[in-house]
Amino acid sequence: MLTIKDLKASVEEKQILNGLNFEVKPGEVHAIMGPNGSGKSTLASVLAGREEYEVTGGEVIFNGEDLLEMSPEDRARAGVFLAFQYPVEIPGVSNANFLKTAVNEVRKSKGLEALDSKQFLKIMQEKMKLVEMDKAMTQRSVNEGFSGGEKKRNEIFQMAMLEPSLAILDETDSGLDIDALRIVANGVNALRDGKRSFIVITHYQRLLDYIVPDFVHVLYKGRIVKSGTKELALELEEKGYDWIKEEVDATLNA
Amino acid sequence: MSTLQETKNKILTSTVFENWVNASPRVNAFADTIKDAAQAFTAQGIPTTKHEEWKYTNVTKLATTDFQISANNNTLKKVDVKEMKVTADAVIVVLENGVFNKEASSLEALPKGIHIGSIHDMLDNAAVKKHFLQHADYKTEPFVALNTATFSDAVCIIADANVEMETPIHLMMVNTCDELSAYIPVRILVVADKNASIHVVETFESFSHTNSIFVNAVSEVVLAENAKVNYVKMQDDPGNTTHINYHRVAMARDSYQHLTTLSLGRGLIRNNLNIRLGDVNGTAYLNGLTVARSKQTVDHHTAVDHAMPHCYSSELYKNLIDDQAQGVFNGKIFVRKDAQKTNAFQSNKNLLLSDDATMNAKPQLEIFADDVKCSHGATTGQLDDESLFYLRARGIGEDAARALLNHAFAAEVMEGIAHEGVKEKMLELLNEKLK
Amino acid sequence: MSDDLKILDDVANSEYKWGFVSNIESDNAPKGLNEDIVRFISAKKNEPEWLLEYRLKAFRHWQTMTEPVWPNVTYPKVDFQDIIYYSAPKPKVQLDSLDDLDPEIKATFDKLGISLEEQKRLANVAVDAVIDSVSVKTTFRETLLEKGIIFSSFSEAVHEHPELVKKYLGSVVPYTDNFYAALNAAVFSDGSFCYIPKGVRCPMELSTYFRINSAGTGQFERTLIIADEGSYVSYLEGCTAPMRDENQLHAAVVEIVSHAEAQVKYSTVQNWYPGDKDGKGGIFNFVTKRGICLGYKSKISWTQVETGSAVTWKYPSVILKGDNSVGEFYSVAVTNNMQQADTGTKMIHIGKNTSSTIISKGISGGRSHNSYRGLVKINKSADNARNFSQCDSLLLGDQCGAHTFPYLEVSNKTAKVEHEATTSKVGEDQIFYCNQRGISTEDAVGLIVNGYCKEVFNQLPMEFAVEAQKLLAISLEGSVG
């Protein structure tokens, strides 16, 4: 589904990704961990097409298409969803209106008819249950005045509405208390259907207790330096990153 | 009775003026500017309330009063001003009726790289040559024009590159005139060269009990790259004084200026502050406080001009208006086309303390760049009943409670004063005023 | 960002859609202005002597005045002798019913999206349509009359209800008020008149559509609305004009009188031709709108969506004279290309416990300039007066300007006056967020801008709000998005 080959990217002239290789097959959940500044959020931003990030080498193939050639909205329409680390506030635009516009744009690109208000409302009500969201939240302006937990829940709710084939969760767990974390994780798990793939970027192993990954990768200095299964995450939790850093730096210096 | 227009002509031809021009041939460097300014004043005249910038502040009386330039300039001795010092260690620079009084000043222990003196003694200084009379705009400001055409002395403070001086420089403006109606032009130049850092305090006080005094002060402050100037203006003129003050700051890249204006005097006060952020990454703070009583008008006009990108400005003005007094605040923020990434904020809060008090506020944003963050807020009201009640419920008498709340309201402005000693002295003065 | 540039480019290329000229025969006065023209207009309308006298007094006063220069706008000087002050569509027959309306006029209104027939049948909106200053048709009159509501052209009101017109004309905006108000008082040709009797709640929206059609003309209509004690009316005003290379002058006067416990809601969607992208042509919109809350608990609410005109100079105001009276001003002003707008409001608090709210949203694109100018005046008598003002500016390019000039004059210590203003641009992060959800940049800007204006759109009657949103989209077409 997603193949990343030798991806290099920089922001403000500073090289962050240094030849990253990575493959995601349908239905897989990949966790990406790594110390601060290793390039985790850069990877998410590059995949979603944020303009400040300049791709300086490599390729990203998504379902047979060159993802890097596509505009951010076309990537979204093709099924790439990014749950933002810092969801953006849009004053005066209700969540419902925002999502209806988005859902119908995505449908249009697939040649489907736009949903009318009634159909949309019905789907929305179903999906709201997934993240235990109450109705009032859909009438509030997008993310405006939302607490940290509400914002993250809203991201997962949007994901449920847009039904992407690949969801990238960029530190969706950071700043959440354990209840909110559980809600968010339940939402994600409900959307695991064996076909939809996830890239879960996180700092903390505890998220992976709730969202159990198929693979865990460690990102350091802009490339994946270690891959394993969920046990790797536990090991990292216990031992920190220093041992990996030492290993990598030793190889680099050798 | 002669008008100020005539007075000005009289002043221009008076011996005071001519003596000064003739005193030093080197002053010829400025002769053209002075002549030009005289013409500019004639063209503009004294503004009336039809002039948008003078809508709320009526100064037309100035045009019909027979002002004389004061003749006593050297009556004060060190001992006379000792009590007025802003801090015990401050460098004291006395301007008596606008004229430098060396006798009363204490400039003996100036650090290396700090130069202070009368313009007459500093004409050879390169910074003086470059900046004197060059920044305040007399073409559009009638009182700058009048000042430029009529000043007889000026004080220059020059801080050389890399000099950092923690001790405050106290510019003490003292009036001792005994003319029935006295006109006092005051002229200041402050230059902080690259990386220099200084504290300046201006105070305006008076020992004079004449009929009326017209103080017309112009300060020009120039900051070179990365220079830092902390400036306090404390205006405590008595009720017989009309005080018009123009303060211009020209800022180079990475420079920082903090300006606090405390208008605590009893006469008509009008401040025109004009800050130009002329290059990138400048930071400007403007704080102001008014305590107005009786029938006085206190008017603050500020203009912050963002000409280049990545600059920051913040303004906080508070007005306490009592009796039949009138407070005026006009705060302009300009963000020019090139000034992207500007952050400019302004806050104006006013308390009306009596039934007859008036506050006229006109915050004003003019934005020509698109990637900016600007905001202003203005509120006018009275003391919060709930807070008052809370204090009284804790056993504090109503008057004391009011004084406490007024003080708390005003103190926020003082908080910004960087020099602890100066801040302490200013708070002390404020306490007296609020009693 | 290249997207932004593209957007701006697209905006600049979007075109005015109401720029057609209708081929209607009209009856014009000769160009220029003098006492004879004033008499000509008055005679044409068969006016009583007192009204002619009023016009002449206004004209004589106007001659002593000079054009105001304080607004933050620049435009070529108007040659007041080069304007046709009276232009009326020639009626082919006496109008007895809608069917007798000149088919061209009917077609014009159809093009504007105002089908008089449709309106009558479906929307339950009474319409007074004014072309080139003359009222051509008022619908629903009979239904309204049953309730005692008078809704007619100004000229008809002069003949049918002279006592009301005489009593209220110039009572809120005297001809001495300002240059354009004086000019209007001298030469106004028609307009709408509306009277809601005591205790009556007007059962439908009243609406006036203004259209400048003829070349070389100015439009000087006059609207007078009187809401008697305890009544309620919601009034809508819409305007368009053909595309012409010349500038045309629109100098209207609107007066509203709201008696005790009466409420008047006045909504405007102003879409006069703004000129082309280089600033050629377009309407000069110099309008005086003012209401007075005369009695206890009177209320006047202005809502405006301004997207048109080359130059706008307009400050719908409320004099809060009655105790506990309420004034509101909600405004969205969009300027694009070379447009200039200097608009805002005045809230004059005189009565006790009066309150006013000002919400102003400016949006500037292209090389336009958008200024908010507002006065909040709390008189000494206005105990416990309250005002809240919020003025936000949104910038859509780096060649436009946004300016705010609030004047806050407070002479009563029990007053509470709060003013907030912000200036910002559409955030790149907001656009990217929308993009990531599959929404194109153009739609995203539309969404964000509409969200930004929501507080004002919420104040508009339903059908008008939809129209306003469409208008906003078209005004910023392509651009934003």
Side-chain angles (χ1 to χ4, degrees), chain B residues 243-255:
Chain B
H243 182 140
I244 295 177
N245 198 308
Y246 184 89
H247 188 103
R248 163 84 179 182
V249 185
M251 299 175 66
R253 61 179 301 157
D254 304 322
S255 61

Side-chain angles (χ1 to χ4, degrees), chain B residues 144-281:
Chain B
V144 173
L146 181 63
N147 177 290
T148 309
T150 58
F151 70 93
S152 56
D153 197 357
V155 161
C156 305
I157 299 174
I158 313 295
D160 290 346
N162 305 316
V163 174
E164 292 181 30
M165 182 175 167
E166 210 18 60
T167 316
I169 300 163
H170 184 172
L171 285 162
M172 207 183 263
M173 267 59 85
V174 190
N175 298 334
T176 59
C177 47
D178 48 23
E179 288 77 11
L180 189 63
S181 300
Y183 167 61
I184 298 174
V186 174
R187 188 94 191 186
I188 310 290
L189 172 70
V190 176
V191 181
D193 206 345
K194 240 184 235 179
N195 306 323
S197 168
I198 50 173
H199 295 262
V200 181
V201 181
E202 283 179 7
T203 60
F204 286 86
E205 282 150 294
S206 180
F207 294 155
S208 170
H209 298 284
T210 61
N211 209 6
S212 66
I213 299 176
F214 167 26
V215 171
N216 181 16
V218 174
S219 305
E220 291 173 299
V221 181
V222 184
L223 285 83
E225 275 172 45
N226 204 36
K228 186 172 178 183
V229 175
N230 280 290
Y231 210 110
V232 176
K233 296 165 87 78
M234 206 282 291
Q235 297 155 346
D236 194 16
D237 319 80
N240 62 356
T241 306
T242 296
H243 182 140
I244 295 177
N245 198 308
Y246 184 89
H247 188 103
R248 163 84 179 182
V249 185
M251 299 175 66
R253 61 179 301 157
D254 304 322
S255 61
Y256 173 102
Q257 82 92 34
H258 191 294
L259 175 57
T260 307
T261 307
L262 307 170
S263 298
L264 309 176
R266 303 304 299 276
L268 186 152
I269 301 177
R270 161 68 178 244
N271 282 297
N272 297 290
L273 309 187
N274 190 309
I275 315 296
R276 184 174 162 84
L277 290 146
D279 207 340
V280 296
N281 201 33

